[in-house]
Amino acid sequence: MSKKLDLHINTILYGPPGTGKTYKLNEYKGMFFTDRGIAVSEKDVLREKVSEYPFWKVLGAVLGVAEKSLTVSEIVDHPIIKARINPANKTKPNNLAWADLQSYADDMSTQLEEKYRRSIKLFHKDEESRWTIADDKKKDLSNIIDQELLDIAFNPILQPVQSSTFKTRYDFITFHQKYSYEDFIEGIKPLLRKEDSEVQSGDLQFELKKGIFYNSCLEALRLVGYDSFDACYKDLPENRVAKFETARSNPALQFALFIDEINRANISAVFGELITLLEDDKRIGSNNEMWLELPYSNEKFCVPGNLFVIGTMNTADRSIALLDIALRRRFEFKALYPEYMEDEWWAPLLQAINQAIYNWKKNPDFFIGHAFFINRPETDRSKILNTKIIPLLYEYCQNNSVTVKSVLSEAGISLKQTGIKENFQIIAE
């Protein structure tokens, strides 16, 4: 049975480098958002398997195992087509199928302009607008598509069933300076593989690509029984309230998005208007549930009440005060500072270094974390100081070697005499 996580639904772990923030995230992933000894459902396994293939290949698999020609509606009704189509896609399934059938059709079957045609002419349409595999491609079909996909299309119910020792209920991302709203929520992105195209403009192809936050929200919805935001939005409010009340009390129905180095991105630019939706009372199933339309897809969207958003922030990179305006009301902050384990050889050394840093900076956000020393023997003392601690102090001191020497000296660390041959480097003994 899943354990209950004793954290606010929006939490940021903050502290100086090396205090175990990312380690904590990994601990949370394994303890609270990983289910072990379970069986993956047929529906989930089928979706996972067919998502690996371009849409045109999935269409080809359906026609490849069919005993007769099929209409577009009959093709779309096949289980692997339903599993492959993203329910968030606003384009009708018939239109998606028709577009790829035309693009990959032989010369007799389509009037599509040549620039939209594909080199693989796989499909054929007869006079009654029914589709089959082109005669000259039937012999090599397993090489063009993939025998495994053909097998799944032939037996979509039994073939994908498999057992799994564990199933995860989380996504993980590390923010960086260039991370954007289009990466996080949704955006129009060019396609590098022509065969995956759903929207075209000349020779350049685009798709509406969902970001990790959107996908995490969708996975959280699926845990409570909704396949899409549209289905959730159209459900009765009292049904949504009941489902998410159950999810809040059942750890097995909770999903998490872990964001490492959350302060490295421009938060207001990445979250956009969705920063408001993170608040407890604005989420799906809450008292002040708030829905909005996403700017690219015009899809109704709200943050599920069973989605944890847990981030880490390195206080030595940027002051926490700079994030207060955007995040303070939405997140709770949990401090992680160095731990001084009395039985470890490095505990007195780490205490002395951090005391010297505090005397200089008057700020614990620049402390050195215990992770630099964990599980390292005392024989590695000089190596840790010279390859980890001293370079970090140089960064703190803006490469002022006098200040670095002062901090090390106050911490009782002996330094070697160096000259031009050692490039005047600071080397701990």
Side-chain angles (χ1 to χ4, degrees), residues 98-121:
W98 178 261
D100 265 23
L101 288 167
Q102 291 279 332
S103 296
Y104 290 88
D106 58 25
D107 295 333
M108 297 177 289
S109 304
T110 180
Q111 302 299 318
L112 201 63
E113 290 182 45
E114 188 62 32
K115 65 180 179 180
Y116 298 130
R117 303 283 301 279
R118 299 294 176 260
S119 58
I120 301 175
K121 303 185 186 304

PDB file of all heavy atoms in Angstrom, residues 98-121:
ATOM      1  N   TRP A  98      -7.463  10.545 -42.136  1.00  0.00           N
ATOM      2  CA  TRP A  98      -7.592  10.892 -43.548  1.00  0.00           C
ATOM      3  C   TRP A  98      -6.339  11.625 -44.046  1.00  0.00           C
ATOM      4  O   TRP A  98      -5.840  11.355 -45.140  1.00  0.00           O
ATOM      5  CB  TRP A  98      -8.823  11.759 -43.754  1.00  0.00           C
ATOM      6  CG  TRP A  98      -9.025  12.207 -45.174  1.00  0.00           C
ATOM      7  CD1 TRP A  98      -8.695  13.407 -45.723  1.00  0.00           C
ATOM      8  CD2 TRP A  98      -9.590  11.438 -46.242  1.00  0.00           C
ATOM      9  NE1 TRP A  98      -9.021  13.455 -47.053  1.00  0.00           N
ATOM     10  CE2 TRP A  98      -9.568  12.254 -47.399  1.00  0.00           C
ATOM     11  CE3 TRP A  98     -10.110  10.148 -46.328  1.00  0.00           C
ATOM     12  CZ2 TRP A  98     -10.046  11.813 -48.627  1.00  0.00           C
ATOM     13  CZ3 TRP A  98     -10.589   9.711 -47.556  1.00  0.00           C
ATOM     14  CH2 TRP A  98     -10.559  10.526 -48.685  1.00  0.00           C
ATOM     15  N   ALA A  99      -5.801  12.525 -43.229  1.00  0.00           N
ATOM     16  CA  ALA A  99      -4.624  13.303 -43.629  1.00  0.00           C
ATOM     17  C   ALA A  99      -3.428  12.387 -43.887  1.00  0.00           C
ATOM     18  O   ALA A  99      -2.725  12.535 -44.901  1.00  0.00           O
ATOM     19  CB  ALA A  99      -4.289  14.328 -42.559  1.00  0.00           C
ATOM     20  N   ASP A 100      -3.188  11.430 -43.001  1.00  0.00           N
ATOM     21  CA  ASP A 100      -2.028  10.540 -43.186  1.00  0.00           C
ATOM     22  C   ASP A 100      -2.271   9.508 -44.283  1.00  0.00           C
ATOM     23  O   ASP A 100      -1.338   9.130 -44.996  1.00  0.00           O
ATOM     24  CB  ASP A 100      -1.692   9.842 -41.858  1.00  0.00           C
ATOM     25  CG  ASP A 100      -0.616  10.600 -41.099  1.00  0.00           C
ATOM     26  OD1 ASP A 100      -0.471  11.809 -41.348  1.00  0.00           O
ATOM     27  OD2 ASP A 100       0.078   9.997 -40.256  1.00  0.00           O
ATOM     28  N   LEU A 101      -3.487   9.051 -44.412  1.00  0.00           N
ATOM     29  CA  LEU A 101      -3.799   8.123 -45.502  1.00  0.00           C
ATOM     30  C   LEU A 101      -3.528   8.777 -46.858  1.00  0.00           C
ATOM     31  O   LEU A 101      -2.951   8.171 -47.756  1.00  0.00           O
ATOM     32  CB  LEU A 101      -5.260   7.671 -45.414  1.00  0.00           C
ATOM     33  CG  LEU A 101      -5.610   6.704 -44.274  1.00  0.00           C
ATOM     34  CD1 LEU A 101      -7.118   6.594 -44.121  1.00  0.00           C
ATOM     35  CD2 LEU A 101      -4.991   5.330 -44.512  1.00  0.00           C
ATOM     36  N   GLN A 102      -3.947  10.053 -46.994  1.00  0.00           N
ATOM     37  CA  GLN A 102      -3.712  10.785 -48.231  1.00  0.00           C
ATOM     38  C   GLN A 102      -2.216  11.010 -48.468  1.00  0.00           C
ATOM     39  O   GLN A 102      -1.723  10.866 -49.583  1.00  0.00           O
ATOM     40  CB  GLN A 102      -4.422  12.144 -48.166  1.00  0.00           C
ATOM     41  CG  GLN A 102      -5.928  12.069 -48.207  1.00  0.00           C
ATOM     42  CD  GLN A 102      -6.453  11.897 -49.619  1.00  0.00           C
ATOM     43  OE1 GLN A 102      -5.821  12.321 -50.578  1.00  0.00           O
ATOM     44  NE2 GLN A 102      -7.614  11.271 -49.762  1.00  0.00           N
ATOM     45  N   SER A 103      -1.489  11.359 -47.423  1.00  0.00           N
ATOM     46  CA  SER A 103      -0.065  11.675 -47.554  1.00  0.00           C
ATOM     47  C   SER A 103       0.757  10.467 -47.973  1.00  0.00           C
ATOM     48  O   SER A 103       1.760  10.598 -48.676  1.00  0.00           O
ATOM     49  CB  SER A 103       0.480  12.224 -46.225  1.00  0.00           C
ATOM     50  OG  SER A 103      -0.146  13.438 -45.894  1.00  0.00           O
ATOM     51  N   TYR A 104       0.336   9.287 -47.539  1.00  0.00           N
ATOM     52  CA  TYR A 104       1.091   8.067 -47.822  1.00  0.00           C
ATOM     53  C   TYR A 104       0.389   7.185 -48.856  1.00  0.00           C
ATOM     54  O   TYR A 104       0.656   6.000 -48.954  1.00  0.00           O
ATOM     55  CB  TYR A 104       1.327   7.279 -46.530  1.00  0.00           C
ATOM     56  CG  TYR A 104       2.302   7.954 -45.601  1.00  0.00           C
ATOM     57  CD1 TYR A 104       1.870   8.879 -44.670  1.00  0.00           C
ATOM     58  CD2 TYR A 104       3.667   7.680 -45.665  1.00  0.00           C
ATOM     59  CE1 TYR A 104       2.761   9.517 -43.819  1.00  0.00           C
ATOM     60  CE2 TYR A 104       4.568   8.301 -44.826  1.00  0.00           C
ATOM     61  CZ  TYR A 104       4.111   9.225 -43.891  1.00  0.00           C
ATOM     62  OH  TYR A 104       5.005   9.853 -43.064  1.00  0.00           O
ATOM     63  N   ALA A 105      -0.528   7.768 -49.635  1.00  0.00           N
ATOM     64  CA  ALA A 105      -1.273   7.001 -50.638  1.00  0.00           C
ATOM     65  C   ALA A 105      -0.488   6.905 -51.945  1.00  0.00           C
ATOM     66  O   ALA A 105       0.394   7.718 -52.231  1.00  0.00           O
ATOM     67  CB  ALA A 105      -2.632   7.644 -50.881  1.00  0.00           C
ATOM     68  N   ASP A 106      -0.845   5.911 -52.757  1.00  0.00           N
ATOM     69  CA  ASP A 106      -0.221   5.789 -54.077  1.00  0.00           C
ATOM     70  C   ASP A 106      -0.795   6.852 -55.014  1.00  0.00           C
ATOM     71  O   ASP A 106      -1.752   7.563 -54.671  1.00  0.00           O
ATOM     72  CB  ASP A 106      -0.398   4.373 -54.646  1.00  0.00           C
ATOM     73  CG  ASP A 106      -1.864   3.963 -54.759  1.00  0.00           C
ATOM     74  OD1 ASP A 106      -2.738   4.862 -54.866  1.00  0.00           O
ATOM     75  OD2 ASP A 106      -2.150   2.757 -54.729  1.00  0.00           O
ATOM     76  N   ASP A 107      -0.205   6.965 -56.186  1.00  0.00           N
ATOM     77  CA  ASP A 107      -0.547   8.064 -57.092  1.00  0.00           C
ATOM     78  C   ASP A 107      -1.992   8.032 -57.560  1.00  0.00           C
ATOM     79  O   ASP A 107      -2.558   9.071 -57.918  1.00  0.00           O
ATOM     80  CB  ASP A 107       0.387   8.033 -58.316  1.00  0.00           C
ATOM     81  CG  ASP A 107       1.830   8.300 -57.939  1.00  0.00           C
ATOM     82  OD1 ASP A 107       2.043   8.990 -56.920  1.00  0.00           O
ATOM     83  OD2 ASP A 107       2.738   7.811 -58.641  1.00  0.00           O
ATOM     84  N   MET A 108      -2.611   6.861 -57.611  1.00  0.00           N
ATOM     85  CA  MET A 108      -3.984   6.744 -58.108  1.00  0.00           C
ATOM     86  C   MET A 108      -5.026   7.103 -57.057  1.00  0.00           C
ATOM     87  O   MET A 108      -6.203   7.257 -57.373  1.00  0.00           O
ATOM     88  CB  MET A 108      -4.240   5.307 -58.585  1.00  0.00           C
ATOM     89  CG  MET A 108      -3.364   4.879 -59.754  1.00  0.00           C
ATOM     90  SD  MET A 108      -3.657   3.146 -60.197  1.00  0.00           S
ATOM     91  CE  MET A 108      -2.919   2.310 -58.785  1.00  0.00           C
ATOM     92  N   SER A 109      -4.614   7.267 -55.802  1.00  0.00           N
ATOM     93  CA  SER A 109      -5.583   7.376 -54.707  1.00  0.00           C
ATOM     94  C   SER A 109      -5.774   8.776 -54.155  1.00  0.00           C
ATOM     95  O   SER A 109      -6.630   8.986 -53.306  1.00  0.00           O
ATOM     96  CB  SER A 109      -5.164   6.458 -53.558  1.00  0.00           C
ATOM     97  OG  SER A 109      -5.022   5.126 -53.999  1.00  0.00           O
ATOM     98  N   THR A 110      -4.985   9.735 -54.607  1.00  0.00           N
ATOM     99  CA  THR A 110      -5.071  11.057 -53.986  1.00  0.00           C
ATOM    100  C   THR A 110      -4.795  12.159 -54.989  1.00  0.00           C
ATOM    101  O   THR A 110      -4.076  11.971 -55.969  1.00  0.00           O
ATOM    102  CB  THR A 110      -4.059  11.156 -52.819  1.00  0.00           C
ATOM    103  OG1 THR A 110      -4.157  12.448 -52.228  1.00  0.00           O
ATOM    104  CG2 THR A 110      -2.632  10.943 -53.296  1.00  0.00           C
ATOM    105  N   GLN A 111      -5.379  13.316 -54.733  1.00  0.00           N
ATOM    106  CA  GLN A 111      -5.129  14.518 -55.528  1.00  0.00           C
ATOM    107  C   GLN A 111      -4.275  15.506 -54.745  1.00  0.00           C
ATOM    108  O   GLN A 111      -4.157  16.674 -55.112  1.00  0.00           O
ATOM    109  CB  GLN A 111      -6.471  15.188 -55.888  1.00  0.00           C
ATOM    110  CG  GLN A 111      -7.435  14.298 -56.656  1.00  0.00           C
ATOM    111  CD  GLN A 111      -6.847  13.868 -57.989  1.00  0.00           C
ATOM    112  OE1 GLN A 111      -6.236  14.672 -58.694  1.00  0.00           O
ATOM    113  NE2 GLN A 111      -7.042  12.596 -58.335  1.00  0.00           N
ATOM    114  N   LEU A 112      -3.665  15.030 -53.669  1.00  0.00           N
ATOM    115  CA  LEU A 112      -2.873  15.894 -52.800  1.00  0.00           C
ATOM    116  C   LEU A 112      -1.667  16.459 -53.546  1.00  0.00           C
ATOM    117  O   LEU A 112      -1.044  15.754 -54.346  1.00  0.00           O
ATOM    118  CB  LEU A 112      -2.386  15.081 -51.582  1.00  0.00           C
ATOM    119  CG  LEU A 112      -1.982  15.854 -50.325  1.00  0.00           C
ATOM    120  CD1 LEU A 112      -3.168  16.609 -49.747  1.00  0.00           C
ATOM    121  CD2 LEU A 112      -1.402  14.898 -49.284  1.00  0.00           C
ATOM    122  N   GLU A 113      -1.342  17.737 -53.279  1.00  0.00           N
ATOM    123  CA  GLU A 113      -0.189  18.353 -53.921  1.00  0.00           C
ATOM    124  C   GLU A 113       1.079  17.572 -53.605  1.00  0.00           C
ATOM    125  O   GLU A 113       1.236  17.023 -52.509  1.00  0.00           O
ATOM    126  CB  GLU A 113      -0.021  19.793 -53.437  1.00  0.00           C
ATOM    127  CG  GLU A 113      -1.094  20.748 -53.920  1.00  0.00           C
ATOM    128  CD  GLU A 113      -0.830  22.163 -53.453  1.00  0.00           C
ATOM    129  OE1 GLU A 113       0.330  22.614 -53.560  1.00  0.00           O
ATOM    130  OE2 GLU A 113      -1.773  22.806 -52.968  1.00  0.00           O
ATOM    131  N   GLU A 114       1.983  17.557 -54.548  1.00  0.00           N
ATOM    132  CA  GLU A 114       3.190  16.736 -54.429  1.00  0.00           C
ATOM    133  C   GLU A 114       4.018  17.100 -53.210  1.00  0.00           C
ATOM    134  O   GLU A 114       4.621  16.229 -52.580  1.00  0.00           O
ATOM    135  CB  GLU A 114       4.043  16.886 -55.701  1.00  0.00           C
ATOM    136  CG  GLU A 114       5.232  15.928 -55.757  1.00  0.00           C
ATOM    137  CD  GLU A 114       4.801  14.465 -55.756  1.00  0.00           C
ATOM    138  OE1 GLU A 114       3.708  14.163 -56.303  1.00  0.00           O
ATOM    139  OE2 GLU A 114       5.539  13.638 -55.204  1.00  0.00           O
ATOM    140  N   LYS A 115       4.068  18.362 -52.845  1.00  0.00           N
ATOM    141  CA  LYS A 115       4.902  18.767 -51.708  1.00  0.00           C
ATOM    142  C   LYS A 115       4.401  18.193 -50.386  1.00  0.00           C
ATOM    143  O   LYS A 115       5.121  18.175 -49.400  1.00  0.00           O
ATOM    144  CB  LYS A 115       5.003  20.291 -51.628  1.00  0.00           C
ATOM    145  CG  LYS A 115       3.693  21.008 -51.344  1.00  0.00           C
ATOM    146  CD  LYS A 115       3.926  22.518 -51.284  1.00  0.00           C
ATOM    147  CE  LYS A 115       2.630  23.278 -51.031  1.00  0.00           C
ATOM    148  NZ  LYS A 115       2.875  24.748 -50.984  1.00  0.00           N
ATOM    149  N   TYR A 116       3.128  17.762 -50.344  1.00  0.00           N
ATOM    150  CA  TYR A 116       2.587  17.158 -49.131  1.00  0.00           C
ATOM    151  C   TYR A 116       2.648  15.635 -49.163  1.00  0.00           C
ATOM    152  O   TYR A 116       2.247  14.982 -48.200  1.00  0.00           O
ATOM    153  CB  TYR A 116       1.133  17.600 -48.913  1.00  0.00           C
ATOM    154  CG  TYR A 116       0.966  19.083 -48.712  1.00  0.00           C
ATOM    155  CD1 TYR A 116       0.034  19.797 -49.454  1.00  0.00           C
ATOM    156  CD2 TYR A 116       1.745  19.775 -47.783  1.00  0.00           C
ATOM    157  CE1 TYR A 116      -0.133  21.163 -49.282  1.00  0.00           C
ATOM    158  CE2 TYR A 116       1.586  21.135 -47.600  1.00  0.00           C
ATOM    159  CZ  TYR A 116       0.653  21.829 -48.348  1.00  0.00           C
ATOM    160  OH  TYR A 116       0.497  23.176 -48.165  1.00  0.00           O
ATOM    161  N   ARG A 117       3.121  15.084 -50.287  1.00  0.00           N
ATOM    162  CA  ARG A 117       3.156  13.635 -50.439  1.00  0.00           C
ATOM    163  C   ARG A 117       4.418  13.058 -49.805  1.00  0.00           C
ATOM    164  O   ARG A 117       5.453  13.701 -49.705  1.00  0.00           O
ATOM    165  CB  ARG A 117       3.124  13.274 -51.932  1.00  0.00           C
ATOM    166  CG  ARG A 117       1.917  13.837 -52.685  1.00  0.00           C
ATOM    167  CD  ARG A 117       0.662  13.060 -52.420  1.00  0.00           C
ATOM    168  NE  ARG A 117       0.806  11.667 -52.812  1.00  0.00           N
ATOM    169  CZ  ARG A 117       0.678  11.248 -54.075  1.00  0.00           C
ATOM    170  NH1 ARG A 117       0.417  12.099 -55.052  1.00  0.00           N
ATOM    171  NH2 ARG A 117       0.817   9.968 -54.365  1.00  0.00           N
ATOM    172  N   ARG A 118       4.334  11.800 -49.408  1.00  0.00           N
ATOM    173  CA  ARG A 118       5.489  11.115 -48.828  1.00  0.00           C
ATOM    174  C   ARG A 118       6.077  10.141 -49.840  1.00  0.00           C
ATOM    175  O   ARG A 118       5.387   9.664 -50.749  1.00  0.00           O
ATOM    176  CB  ARG A 118       5.071  10.361 -47.561  1.00  0.00           C
ATOM    177  CG  ARG A 118       4.517  11.272 -46.467  1.00  0.00           C
ATOM    178  CD  ARG A 118       5.612  12.195 -45.944  1.00  0.00           C
ATOM    179  NE  ARG A 118       5.077  13.137 -44.977  1.00  0.00           N
ATOM    180  CZ  ARG A 118       4.769  14.393 -45.261  1.00  0.00           C
ATOM    181  NH1 ARG A 118       4.935  14.842 -46.493  1.00  0.00           N
ATOM    182  NH2 ARG A 118       4.302  15.184 -44.334  1.00  0.00           N
ATOM    183  N   SER A 119       7.344   9.838 -49.652  1.00  0.00           N
ATOM    184  CA  SER A 119       8.027   8.953 -50.598  1.00  0.00           C
ATOM    185  C   SER A 119       7.513   7.520 -50.502  1.00  0.00           C
ATOM    186  O   SER A 119       7.548   6.767 -51.466  1.00  0.00           O
ATOM    187  CB  SER A 119       9.536   8.985 -50.334  1.00  0.00           C
ATOM    188  OG  SER A 119       9.828   8.604 -49.006  1.00  0.00           O
ATOM    189  N   ILE A 120       7.020   7.136 -49.303  1.00  0.00           N
ATOM    190  CA  ILE A 120       6.476   5.775 -49.133  1.00  0.00           C
ATOM    191  C   ILE A 120       5.006   5.794 -49.534  1.00  0.00           C
ATOM    192  O   ILE A 120       4.170   6.379 -48.838  1.00  0.00           O
ATOM    193  CB  ILE A 120       6.624   5.295 -47.682  1.00  0.00           C
ATOM    194  CG1 ILE A 120       8.086   5.306 -47.262  1.00  0.00           C
ATOM    195  CG2 ILE A 120       6.018   3.907 -47.497  1.00  0.00           C
ATOM    196  CD1 ILE A 120       8.312   4.952 -45.808  1.00  0.00           C
ATOM    197  N   LYS A 121       4.670   5.195 -50.644  1.00  0.00           N
ATOM    198  CA  LYS A 121       3.280   5.184 -51.130  1.00  0.00           C
ATOM    199  C   LYS A 121       2.643   3.868 -50.680  1.00  0.00           C
ATOM    200  O   LYS A 121       2.548   2.913 -51.445  1.00  0.00           O
ATOM    201  CB  LYS A 121       3.259   5.373 -52.644  1.00  0.00           C
ATOM    202  CG  LYS A 121       3.963   6.664 -53.079  1.00  0.00           C
ATOM    203  CD  LYS A 121       3.845   6.911 -54.549  1.00  0.00           C
ATOM    204  CE  LYS A 121       4.686   8.132 -54.969  1.00  0.00           C
ATOM    205  NZ  LYS A 121       4.337   9.340 -54.243  1.00  0.00           N
TER     206      LYS A 121
END
